[in-house]
Amino acid sequence: MSGHSKWKTIQHKKGAADAKRGKIFSRLSKELMVVARQGGSDPSMNPTLRTAIQKAKAANMPADNIDRAVKKGAGEIEGVIFEEIVYEGYASGGVGLIVMALTDNKNRAAAEIRHIFTKNNSSFADKGSVSRGFERKGQIIIDASATDEETLMELALEAGADDIKTEEEAFEILTDPSAYTDVMDALAKAEIATINSEISMVPLTTVPVSDPSQAKSVLKFIEALEDNDDVQNVYSNMDIADEIMDELESGE
């Protein structure tokens, strides 16, 4: 699990995600609208939509909100049209970032995201220069107290997972995007709750960060990007040393 993913897991467990629930629902609504517009409103015929609905349900998004977003995207009721834009760049220490945005105004999004990069002494990179170091994977994070490793491994691998990684406080399941829904269905059937689940960009290699000030600086930069209304997801290849992660978690 990359350092950024570890940090998001820590924040979620602390309840920090609850404070941003409205923003999370807004992002999920955008995603639902886009995938419904691209592939239709029937989840059985649109696997990408089915995955997005599953993700929204995992975040406890109300069913009415999900249904309304899907109908807006499919054109069944009036709604805004969003476009997906991907930006790539580097933070301090050569940490690679992929910023995925959904926006109804590409010029505004580009200007605001570029401003955040500039403010953090960073700049955009050429298309592909960062993303070639990542692969698209289903990523599912489960609290270590929710189940045991043997049970989870048997269930997940049987459902089609590629790999399971064990951290001190959480399990990370990685799947091919095509198997993501099957694994999520198997977890739901076994009543194993997830901390976070998504189709993610997972780094092939990571950039070690052992300096506390650099780790804090990069995380602050990422949080500024995530606070932007047009930004859906930020992915990084940062690997924060365990002792620094412990320090950040304790708030020292």
Side-chain angles (χ1 to χ4, degrees), residues 223-244:
E223 287 175 1
L225 288 167
E226 290 177 333
D227 281 342
N228 182 273
D229 288 339
D230 289 319
V231 172
Q232 286 289 107
N233 286 297
V234 181
Y235 304 107
S236 84
N237 59 3
M238 174 173 58
D239 185 16
I240 304 174
D242 289 342
E243 60 271 19
I244 297 177

Side-chain angles (χ1 to χ4, degrees), residues 76-223:
E76 296 173 20
I77 57 177
E78 187 176 351
V80 178
I81 295 177
F82 293 98
E83 295 181 82
E84 183 178 75
I85 316 171
V86 180
Y87 303 95
E88 301 180 30
Y90 291 97
S92 64
V95 172
L97 299 177
I98 299 175
V99 182
M100 304 189 77
L102 286 177
T103 181
D104 59 348
N105 187 322
K106 293 173 69 173
N107 291 333
R108 180 196 65 221
E112 291 181 355
I113 293 171
R114 186 181 296 277
H115 175 71
I116 296 170
F117 267 81
T118 302
K119 189 175 180 180
N120 287 273
N121 300 313
S122 302
S123 59
F124 289 158
D126 292 336
K127 184 177 180 180
S129 59
V130 176
S131 58
R132 66 187 176 196
F134 289 72
E135 62 180 339
R136 193 165 174 265
K137 285 281 190 181
Q139 184 183 45
I140 304 165
I141 310 298
I142 296 170
D143 193 295
S145 64
T147 185
D148 62 88
E149 184 177 4
E150 184 178 349
T151 299
L152 183 62
M153 185 168 292
E154 181 179 351
L155 182 149
L157 293 178
E158 186 175 329
D162 290 340
D163 192 18
I164 299 174
K165 299 180 180 180
T166 304
E167 301 287 342
E168 186 176 341
E169 297 183 351
F171 299 112
E172 178 186 28
I173 301 174
L174 295 176
T175 80
D176 185 86
S178 63
Y180 172 82
T181 299
D182 290 339
V183 175
M184 286 293 291
D185 285 345
L187 292 170
K189 187 176 180 180
E191 298 184 343
I192 298 175
T194 63
I195 294 176
N196 188 54
S197 59
E198 62 179 335
I199 302 295
S200 181
M201 295 296 288
V202 178
L204 297 170
T205 58
T206 56
V207 175
V209 175
S210 56
D211 178 68
S213 61
Q214 182 193 351
K216 291 176 183 177
S217 173
V218 176
L219 287 172
K220 183 179 178 181
F221 178 19
I222 291 172
E223 287 175 1

Side-chain angles (χ1 to χ4, degrees), residues 28-29 32-33 36 41-43 49 52-53 56-57 61-78:
L28 290 169
S29 291
L32 288 163
M33 282 188 270
S41 61
D42 184 354
L49 175 60
I53 290 173
K57 287 180 177 178
M61 186 174 180
D64 286 349
N65 294 31
I66 294 173
D67 185 57
R68 186 163 55 251
V70 171
K71 287 180 177 178
K72 283 183 179 179
E76 296 173 20
I77 57 177
E78 187 176 351

